[in-house]
Amino acid sequence: MTAGATAAPATGPDGGSEDSVCLRAAAEFVRRHDTSTLLPLLLPGLDGPQLRALTRHLAFAHAALLVFPPDPATLRAELAACGLTADAPPLPSSVVRDRLAARHGRDAAGLDVSILRPGVRAADGTRRAVEVFALTVPPGSDLGDVAEHERVHQHEAHLAFEVLRPEPLLLRGLCALLADQGAVPDGGGYNPHENGTVLYFTVPAAALAGYRRVELYAPGDHRDVLAGHLADGPADRPAAHSSTGAPTDQPAETLLRLLTGAWATQALAASARLRLPDAVPQGESVDRTALAHRTGTDPRALATLLRYLAMLGVVTAEGERVRLTEVGALLREDAPASMRPLALMYGGPFYRSFGALDHTVRTGETAFDHLFGENHFDHFARDPELADLFDRSMAASTRMFDPVPAHPALAAAATRPDGGTVVDVAGGNGELLARVLTAHPGLRGVLLERPHAVEAARRTMAEAGCADRCTYRVGDFADVPADGDVYLLSRVLHDWDDDRCRAILRHCERAMPAHADLLIVERLLPADGSASLATAWDVHMMCNVGGRERRADHYADLLGAAGLDLLAHTPLPLDAALLHARRPERP
């Protein structure tokens, strides 16, 4: 087909259109495969541990193809003929449109590319999709040569895996693992219409799946990861383009997005204060006007906020109706490990203190102390409502505790004939200790904290059914109870400077019997300077409490000064780590 030719659908060998043949083949492929069977076909060199790691973090989502209908009605008819029905109206596909524009030297504004995801029920009952990119090629269009070239080369045909936990560090790790298996970065982009980031790879020539391209789809805006991915791609890759089709001025756009980060914080905090998420029933949508009535908000202003929240991936808009995403549901007060208190903290007292970050950097004085006239701990202890909010906000990160009860030191303590004792030093509301005691019914607990926190911990223990196995000690670090088998310091040391940390660790060391273990939960600054939540929290700690995050070797030095050896550190969720220390063995 030549430029300017009539764009009638190509015909397949069975007499149906070539698009229909490809649609049927893609649907059948999706029905027959799942994540664990497909990955070894795409990356034949995967060993067992690597396959398990990828299978744990990725889910086969769809097979994708590009078709060329003359109009939307023809596309709908072809989908129906293949038994494919889209559940949602088509959205613009800025990523594929920009790739086509770069590949064929076209103006992106003249390429009408849409995206549909008709569902397919897989053999195992899982619901997946065929992702259909549709470039409308009307009769008489000059896009015939584009359609002919794309049909032959299938540049946009790929298999997609959704990243189940799209955190920056995990995304980079998955990209590195794929690269180790010979997959080559092959572009990608951010689609603002659905707030999703795609990272494309070309798989090795030895791949057996029949597809050469793989997409990792990460919900949300991950353009920081995308920038590194694009930089690692082929030297002749297409230039990045914006959603308007013009070349992206990446530095300026990146800086603007960084500068407006505070807007996102306040939008989330405002939605939490207004209880917008609580007014949207779980798993249901609600009319925007009804939502304004329920929350006592101005309908027009609320619509503007909801549009921004949709861009952030907190809600989805379905016409005049709004539905919470999984991210937005975490702002409900009744959500497990609700992050509503954290939104109120970060959009409240901590937001104010960050406004004085320059004061901290200039003087070394903690911004919180400068603004509020006292340190973070005394200020919160003086205000019962604020203290309760802080305690509840800490629960938002309790997912990092999930692997802690399985640590060998705790398992060993649980097997002691007389029953082991776990001492949680500055244990907050008792969330971590409750998890440990629940996992090991033979253990007893002792929690050391300030008076207001002890009361919160009593409630936590009662709710966990561990009240009869826990005792409480009101005091400071100098009052660390003796004769425990395992001592816990969870998110404590990062609150303090090095001198105070050494003192805290010495108090623990003096209380610990010779056989006792010390487990420390903290975020570790990466030794190689790679991206990490710890780097952001390092600024947060400096600004709000005068503390800091540290590298593993830094903690080893602090422990050594207190007469303890750092034996190991293992990763935890949310970029945290579990450090294991003991007294050195004596000859």
Side-chain angles (χ1 to χ4, degrees):
M1 192 179 293
T2 58
T6 300
T11 302
D14 62 353
S17 78
E18 189 170 333
D19 286 348
S20 295
V21 172
C22 293
L23 285 166
R24 285 194 180 92
E28 181 58 25
F29 187 95
V30 170
R31 290 189 184 97
R32 288 190 288 109
H33 290 90
D34 61 23
T35 308
S36 60
T37 61
L38 193 50
L39 284 170
L41 297 177
L42 293 165
L43 303 167
L46 278 178
D47 60 21
Q50 292 170 327
L51 176 59
R52 287 193 294 272
L54 286 176
T55 304
R56 187 167 63 250
H57 294 297
L58 300 177
F60 177 39
H62 63 255
L65 72 162
L66 175 60
V67 297
F68 308 92
D71 52 60
T74 300
L75 175 60
R76 288 194 297 271
E78 290 191 327
L79 289 172
C82 298
L84 298 171
T85 304
D87 297 330
L91 290 171
S93 177
S94 56
V95 175
V96 172
R97 180 201 59 196
D98 293 349
R99 285 171 57 87
L100 286 171
R103 198 153 52 235
H104 295 279
R106 298 280 183 147
D107 180 1
L111 300 175
D112 179 14
V113 183
S114 60
I115 180 173
L116 286 161
R117 293 192 182 91
V120 173
R121 184 71 64 181
D124 62 1
T126 305
R127 185 169 176 79
R128 302 195 184 100
V130 174
E131 184 171 73
V132 181
F133 301 114
L135 170 62
T136 302
V137 185
S141 167
D142 67 348
L143 295 175
D145 59 334
V146 174
E148 183 176 11
H149 174 91
E150 294 295 327
R151 279 196 173 105
V152 171
H153 294 282
Q154 296 290 311
H155 293 296
E156 300 307 326
H158 66 263
L159 302 176
F161 295 83
E162 182 168 356
V163 181
L164 299 178
R165 187 164 58 98
E167 298 170 357
L169 191 64
L170 175 63
L171 280 175
R172 289 186 172 91
L174 293 172
C175 290
L177 201 162
L178 290 175
D180 287 344
Q181 293 299 313
V184 177
D186 185 23
Y190 170 69
N191 190 341
H193 302 289
E194 59 181 29
N195 189 33
T197 305
V198 294
L199 309 171
Y200 290 119
F201 296 84
T202 300
V203 296
L208 303 173
Y211 286 79
R212 290 297 313 282
R213 295 182 69 240
V214 168
E215 169 196 316
L216 296 190
Y217 175 77
D221 186 347
H222 300 284
R223 272 178 277 192
D224 51 345
V225 179
L226 176 64
H229 176 77
L230 295 175
D232 292 337
D236 61 348
R237 67 187 181 276
H241 284 67
S242 73
S243 59
T244 65
T248 301
D249 187 356
Q250 286 188 339
E253 183 176 334
T254 299
L255 183 57
L256 273 176
R257 292 186 176 278
L258 294 173
L259 288 171
T260 58
W263 302 355
T265 302
Q266 282 303 329
L268 295 171
S271 67
R273 286 191 290 265
L274 294 167
R275 295 188 175 275
L276 297 181
D278 297 289
V280 180
Q282 285 275 35
E284 300 179 21
S285 63
V286 63
D287 180 78
R288 288 191 315 195
T289 303
L291 183 59
H293 178 73
R294 292 180 190 178
T295 56
T297 53
D298 177 77
R300 181 176 177 182
L302 177 61
T304 300
L305 174 60
L306 290 171
R307 190 160 50 243
Y308 185 42
L309 292 174
M311 190 181 81
L312 296 176
V314 177
V315 301
T316 59
E318 304 164 354
E320 292 297 311
R321 302 187 70 79
V322 176
R323 183 188 300 269
L324 290 177
T325 65
E326 290 184 5
V327 173
L330 290 173
L331 292 173
R332 291 178 60 92
E333 189 166 35
D334 61 358
S338 169
M339 298 184 78
R340 180 177 185 271
L342 203 59
L344 298 176
M345 289 297 303
Y346 286 176
F350 289 155
Y351 190 88
R352 289 183 58 193
S353 60
F354 256 102
L357 177 60
D358 58 331
H359 175 84
T360 294
V361 175
R362 186 168 50 249
T363 67
E365 180 184 357
T366 304
F368 194 100
D369 298 11
H370 171 68
L371 285 176
F372 293 96
E374 57 186 340
N375 71 58
H376 156 281
F377 299 104
D378 290 340
H379 184 75
F380 284 7
R382 208 179 298 281
D383 184 333
E385 289 188 9
L386 199 54
D388 178 64
L389 177 63
F390 177 72
D391 287 338
R392 288 187 288 117
S393 74
M394 294 293 284
S397 299
T398 55
R399 190 159 60 87
M400 68 172 59
F401 297 156
D402 288 349
V404 173
H407 192 277
L410 291 165
T415 62
R416 294 180 67 84
D418 55 347
T421 299
V422 180
V423 178
D424 197 351
V425 180
N429 69 350
E431 177 69 30
L432 174 56
L433 185 56
R435 288 176 179 236
V436 170
L437 297 184
T438 299
H440 300 286
L443 290 177
R444 298 182 304 276
V446 181
L447 187 137
L448 173 69
E449 253 297 359
R450 292 185 172 194
H452 77 276
V454 164
E455 292 309 308
R458 289 183 190 276
R459 294 192 294 271
T460 300
M461 291 296 169
E463 291 170 2
C466 303
D468 60 339
R469 290 190 286 129
C470 187
T471 58
Y472 307 90
R473 180 77 61 87
V474 175
D476 206 338
F477 294 114
D479 304 307
V480 175
D483 300 326
D485 297 296
V486 180
Y487 286 75
L488 301 176
L489 276 175
S490 174
R491 297 179 292 178
V492 171
L493 297 179
H494 73 164
D495 289 334
W496 307 99
D497 61 24
D498 285 359
D499 288 342
R500 184 62 164 152
C501 283
R502 280 187 282 265
I504 293 169
L505 291 170
R506 288 190 187 105
H507 288 310
C508 292
E509 189 274 338
R510 281 194 289 269
M512 292 167 59
H515 71 276
D517 295 276
L518 174 62
L519 300 180
I520 300 169
V521 177
E522 293 289 357
R523 287 188 170 94
L524 296 180
L525 288 172
D528 61 359
S530 58
S532 168
L533 287 174
T535 304
W537 254 261
D538 196 23
V539 179
H540 172 72
M541 303 312 295
M542 174 183 71
C543 186
N544 284 288
V545 299
R548 60 186 299 184
E549 307 293 352
R550 298 170 172 89
R551 297 192 330 189
D553 57 354
H554 194 156
Y555 279 115
D557 290 342
L558 295 175
L559 287 161
L564 297 166
D565 282 348
L566 177 60
L567 303 181
H569 57 87
T570 54
L572 297 174
L574 302 178
D575 275 10
L578 182 61
L579 292 79
H580 179 201
R582 296 189 72 163
R583 282 204 180 95
E585 293 187 11
R586 305 299 182 190

